[in-house]
Amino acid sequence: MEKFIKLKSIPAHISLMNIDTDMIIPKQFLKTIKRTGLGKSLFYEMRYDESGKLIEKFILNNDPYSKSKILLAGKNFGCGSSREHAPWALLDFGIRCVISPSFADIFYNNCFNNGILPIIIDEKSIQELSEYSKRKEEIEVDLNEQVILYGNKKLTFDIEPAKKKRLLEGLDNIGLSLKKIPNIEKFENSMNKTKPWI
Amino acid sequence: MSKTLYDKIWDDHLVHEDNDGTALLYVDRHLVHEVTSPQAFEGLRIQGRQVRKPKLTLAVPDHNVPTTDRSKGISDKQSKIQVDTLRNNCKEFGINLFDVNDKRQGIVHIIGPEQGFTQPGTVIVCGDSHTATHGAFGSLAFGIGTSEVEHVLATQTLIQKKSKNFRVNVNGSLPAGVTSKDVILKIIGTIGTAGGTGYVIEFAGEVIRNLSVEQRMTICNMTIEAGARAGLIAPDDKTIEYFKDRPMSPKGENWTKAVDHWKKLFSDSDAKFDKEVNIDAKDIEPLVTWGTSPQDVSPITGEVPDPEKEKDKDRRTAMYRSLEYMGLKPKMKISDIKVDKIFIGSCTNGRIEDLRMAAKLLKGKKIASDVSAMVVPGSGLVKKQAEEEGIDKVFKNAGFEWREPGCSMCLGMNEDQLSSKERCASTSNRNFEGRQGRGGRTHLVSPGMAVAAAIKGYLADVREIN
Ligand code: SF4
């Protein structure tokens, strides 16, 4: 997994609330057996019309937002299914940080397993950042310091220490958990006695 | 110290806990389907890792499978690749698979309980958000992403942070025509699609106790639509009865031991909940959704809401967008909404009791001439049971199509899709834009309400069908 330390980009703002995983990546693209190649289908139905042509007014279809690495989003972003294709599509498009007032639970977790930083900040702050998006000015996210820098201002954000560490170091969760095999074995042995039917 | 049911199951599965509360939780049961697993198996292969406990995993193809005649295989190339990939992965890693032509094949959340693979007090995960369904049996069950699927395969554990406790009490008794589907729609309409975020919800109260276990599954199934990590219902005698003699249920001495354990699975009377909501059953009517979020609910006797009356700006914008997508006008009567298709099925309402309920209302009647309707049983065994009871004939005689089991038009990954602007009364769980097909318009309803809509050709009140 790629490390996440600092990220600078002109953010793209999609303010709609309750953007669900079907909107992020519709089901016809879930038939892949790979993790890559989904970026061109990100937000498919908002991005392309029925004949497959780019819809001009959709923000990600326009420069410089087509190269945005930071997405500002409405609340409850990523609700719906557990499909990890949603973060895969964002990542493949080039987005490595999503900033929203709130996220759906599974999507939030899935981000961390793919080197994407989801940041929760209040609605008002998002509006402030949105001005930078409109003016096509860059903002910067510094994970180590837990700040978003814009103009000469800065905003701090919260993140669980363990999750922060994983992103900063690009750690593989499975590798870490496999180091706890002795604990797992101990657990299994006692379970075999107390709950033999499992 | 007094504990909630969630606390008890959590503590019982804690393998390790870091200082900051990040926990390694043991997973007793892992369900796998074709869409969210290929990349997980691929990850194992790349790293040269094994599946730690193949016996604790059960796999089935359901999302992509055709619901028409399967004797000639799957014609959609990509779907076929995914189903073939699942088969090969299961073979390579020694995992039990109910393949496409197995009688036991069906929707992953239906076959788990049906086989007794699902059990009370266990931790169950699957790369699918509606894993919440299994909470109806008092198991802590939730959906995970593909990286987590890989993690569970490799370690039989999952990294988790504990959620908060939320209890929803549904008191009183349900009025005529109101089912568990209406109960959960009412709950989502009340607390909102993000109302459960950060929580595990326990459903309690007289109404829940009086529901059959299958009806309880409908409630837990849609916990995810309320944003919660999982939904839980304490097991009781009905639950224990349900598991007796299922193929994978504990047997003999183990059965006795298991039942002893299951009987301890309830929230202590003085357990603390971080949040509690009470709902009075007499306030619940047969409901439908009018918008593109499961919280957009209205009684069938009501009207489409007027966004102008909504104070929250973002919500108002979302409502306008929904109404435009759905092709509806503010203040029009819900019962004036004409439907084109009817879908009965999915892990929400594709079980035998759902089909029985629908068939009972439908018997001797015909669907409206300009409506097309289909029933997709939740599993091969549900289908078989229904056929033994003659339920298939009731549906076919009324003009419904009777299909092979799978997810089907719940998400339209196979051929079963709505075309643009087609309107469907559906017993599934999500009315998102494009969910049942690009431009398709979904109204979520109970099986009884789906039958009422099929007969009238409009969204209709189940209480008026007799
Ligand atoms: S029936 Fe629908 S909700 Fe249930 S598992 Fe299948 S696609 Fe998901």
Side-chain angles (χ1 to χ4, degrees):
Chain A
M1 202 172 78
E2 206 183 320
K3 291 178 187 170
F4 189 113
I5 300 167
K6 278 185 188 175
L7 186 67
K8 213 177 200 178
S9 166
I10 298 168
H13 188 191
I14 303 179
S15 61
L16 192 66
M17 66 193 278
N18 291 333
I19 294 228
D20 56 69
T21 51
D22 284 75
M23 283 162 116
I24 299 174
I25 185 87
K27 66 226 154 202
Q28 61 269 35
F29 304 107
L30 309 189
K31 294 187 182 181
T32 174
I33 55 170
K34 296 206 263 358
R35 289 174 202 249
T36 49
L38 291 165
K40 56 181 184 301
S41 314
L42 176 72
F43 294 117
Y44 190 80
E45 287 175 14
M46 296 161 98
R47 222 163 123 206
Y48 303 94
D49 69 14
E50 300 201 12
S51 64
K53 273 218 327 267
L54 286 175
I55 297 172
E56 263 179 44
K57 67 173 205 258
F58 185 62
I59 184 163
L60 298 186
N61 287 339
N62 294 291
D63 280 339
Y65 309 109
S66 57
K67 293 185 195 68
S68 287
K69 297 184 184 126
I70 301 174
L71 183 68
L72 304 173
K75 64 179 167 221
N76 200 27
F77 187 81
C79 61
S81 85
S82 65
R83 62 187 70 159
E84 203 159 310
H85 308 70
W88 294 338
L90 287 165
L91 196 63
D92 198 55
F93 182 87
I95 289 169
R96 292 210 61 205
C97 175
V98 186
I99 307 179
S100 165
S102 60
F103 291 94
D105 198 32
I106 304 179
F107 175 83
Y108 185 77
N109 272 326
N110 282 343
C111 283
F112 289 99
N113 287 322
N114 292 282
I116 297 177
L117 171 64
I119 299 179
I120 302 172
I121 56 170
D122 60 50
E123 209 102 36
K124 221 182 99 236
S125 309
I126 297 219
Q127 284 316 324
E128 262 185 65
L129 296 176
S130 180
E131 292 303 317
Y132 282 74
S133 172
K134 277 187 209 139
R135 295 205 302 264
K136 304 183 182 170
E137 285 182 40
E138 285 188 325
I139 63 171
E140 184 175 0
V141 174
D142 183 334
L143 176 57
N144 198 32
E145 298 298 321
Q146 295 181 219
V147 290
I148 305 170
L149 303 157
Y150 54 109
N152 48 16
K153 295 200 235 174
K154 72 176 175 190
L155 256 169
T156 55
F157 61 88
D158 285 334
I159 181 169
E160 275 173 37
K163 293 203 157 90
K164 174 176 172 179
K165 182 164 184 266
R166 277 191 54 214
L167 281 184
L168 282 173
E169 297 176 20
L171 295 174
D172 162 27
N173 252 346
I174 301 180
L176 292 177
S177 295
L178 283 172
K179 291 200 184 123
K180 302 208 174 93
I181 285 289
N183 301 66
I184 299 173
E185 275 173 356
K186 203 170 133 218
F187 183 93
E188 284 171 342
N189 288 338
S190 104
M191 185 178 76
N192 287 343
K193 288 191 204 99
T194 54
K195 291 190 274 185
W197 64 90
I198 297 289
Chain B
M1 210 182 73
S2 55
K3 287 179 177 181
T4 64
L5 174 55
Y6 173 50
D7 297 337
K8 287 183 186 176
I9 303 176
W10 177 273
D11 291 350
D12 211 24
H13 289 82
L14 208 53
V15 172
H16 185 270
E17 193 170 8
D18 287 336
N19 295 335
D20 69 346
T22 306
L24 201 61
L25 216 56
Y26 198 78
V27 173
D28 304 298
R29 296 285 184 263
H30 186 190
L31 291 154
V32 168
H33 67 74
E34 79 278 24
V35 179
T36 54
S37 68
Q39 294 86 350
F41 285 110
E42 184 63 19
L44 291 182
R45 252 191 305 269
I46 290 169
Q47 298 290 333
R49 287 169 178 153
Q50 295 296 312
V51 174
R52 178 164 179 82
K53 293 272 170 187
K55 286 214 171 66
L56 300 185
T57 306
L58 176 62
V60 70
D62 57 358
H63 283 62
N64 257 324
V65 298
T67 56
T68 44
D69 181 19
R70 290 176 185 164
S71 55
K72 290 182 206 72
I74 304 178
S75 58
D76 181 293
K77 253 207 205 122
Q78 280 185 299
S79 299
K80 184 175 182 311
I81 292 176
Q82 253 186 358
V83 173
D84 290 349
T85 304
L86 179 68
R87 183 180 307 121
N88 294 337
N89 284 330
C90 287
K91 207 166 157 204
E92 180 181 340
F93 290 97
I95 289 166
N96 191 4
L97 168 78
F98 293 174
D99 213 336
V100 185
N101 291 316
D102 193 311
K103 274 197 310 292
R104 301 165 297 178
Q105 180 270 340
I107 304 170
V108 67
H109 309 307
I110 294 196
I111 66 154
E114 196 169 75
Q115 293 299 317
F117 183 72
T118 300
Q119 288 169 16
T122 52
V123 168
I124 304 183
V125 298
C126 172
D128 191 285
S129 57
H130 290 99
T131 310
T133 315
H134 308 262
F137 303 93
S139 51
L140 177 58
F142 45 86
I144 56 178
T146 298
S147 299
E148 292 173 309
V149 169
E150 187 180 336
H151 188 282
V152 175
L153 289 171
T155 68
Q156 204 55 42
T157 64
L158 192 66
I159 298 172
Q160 281 287 296
K161 262 264 162 108
K162 196 167 176 204
S163 306
K164 287 182 280 184
N165 281 291
F166 186 168
R167 182 158 62 188
V168 175
N169 304 298
V170 191
N171 307 310
S173 59
L174 291 179
V178 175
T179 65
S180 61
K181 180 66 165 278
D182 304 296
V183 174
I184 186 64
L185 285 173
K186 174 80 179 182
I187 293 171
I188 298 164
T190 307
I191 68 174
T193 48
T197 306
Y199 294 93
V200 163
I201 301 181
E202 179 174 346
F203 299 98
E206 211 181 328
V207 166
I208 306 293
R209 292 267 68 87
N210 286 334
L211 292 176
S212 71
V213 288
E214 290 199 359
Q215 292 165 336
R216 293 175 188 172
M217 288 170 77
T218 305
I219 297 206
C220 286
N221 174 272
M222 288 188 73
T223 320
I224 188 72
E225 272 65 53
R229 182 105 266 246
L232 273 174
I233 293 174
D236 57 11
D237 291 345
K238 283 188 229 179
T239 322
I240 295 168
E241 190 53 37
Y242 176 93
F243 284 113
K244 226 181 221 160
D245 302 324
R246 301 254 158 198
M248 299 182 185
S249 285
K251 302 274 149 44
E253 196 191 329
N254 276 345
W255 170 259
T256 322
K257 284 188 190 161
V259 170
D260 281 346
H261 176 65
W262 297 347
K263 286 191 167 160
K264 293 182 207 130
L265 298 169
F266 52 83
S267 288
D268 296 330
S269 56
D270 51 349
K272 273 230 169 18
F273 286 84
D274 302 287
K275 191 164 158 185
E276 200 145 2
V277 163
N278 289 297
I279 290 186
D280 194 333
K282 75 171 186 324
D283 299 334
I284 313 177
E285 280 189 71
L287 298 172
V288 303
T289 61
W290 52 264
T292 54
S293 163
Q295 72 186 20
D296 298 339
V297 295
S298 163
I300 181 66
T301 52
E303 44 183 53
V304 175
D306 183 357
E308 280 311 306
K309 297 219 173 95
E310 173 61 50
K311 289 194 194 80
D312 183 272
K313 186 175 123 281
D314 290 345
R315 177 84 187 115
R316 197 161 57 233
T317 315
M319 282 171 84
Y320 273 119
R321 186 187 163 98
S322 286
L323 291 184
E324 191 189 326
Y325 180 87
M326 293 297 289
L328 299 174
K329 296 261 169 319
K331 295 191 261 194
M332 72 184 280
K333 276 173 72 179
I334 297 280
S335 55
D336 283 342
I337 300 175
K338 197 171 173 340
V339 296
D340 308 302
K341 287 218 161 134
I342 309 293
F343 172 65
I344 298 182
S346 88
C347 58
T348 317
N349 285 122
R351 285 171 286 274
I352 189 69
E353 286 183 20
D354 298 308
L355 304 191
R356 280 184 192 136
M357 191 193 337
K360 200 169 149 210
L361 284 159
L362 192 62
K363 198 161 191 175
K365 301 191 184 70
K366 292 266 185 250
I367 64 172
S369 57
D370 49 359
V371 157
S372 75
M374 68 159 110
V375 188
V376 181
S379 73
L381 295 176
V382 168
K383 180 170 187 255
K384 182 165 165 276
Q385 174 73 28
E387 286 171 355
E388 280 166 15
E389 295 177 21
I391 287 175
D392 59 324
K393 295 214 179 59
V394 174
F395 280 115
K396 285 190 247 177
N397 290 341
F400 271 82
E401 287 180 57
W402 180 251
R403 297 291 190 95
E404 297 298 323
C407 294
S408 179
M409 216 207 272
C410 173
L411 92 166
M413 263 190 91
N414 64 356
E415 297 73 20
D416 310 342
Q417 293 187 18
L418 296 180
S419 2
S420 184
K421 301 204 164 89
E422 249 184 339
R423 191 181 293 287
C424 179
S426 175
T427 67
S428 55
N429 45 45
R430 283 191 180 139
N431 51 355
F432 297 160
E433 286 181 20
R435 170 77 176 181
Q436 295 189 291
R438 183 168 187 153
R441 296 163 172 170
T442 305
H443 296 275
L444 303 176
V445 291
S446 70
M449 290 284 282
V451 165
I455 295 170
K456 300 248 169 145
Y458 287 82
L459 291 179
D461 195 333
V462 60
R463 293 167 297 192
E464 287 168 11
I465 307 288
N466 41 41

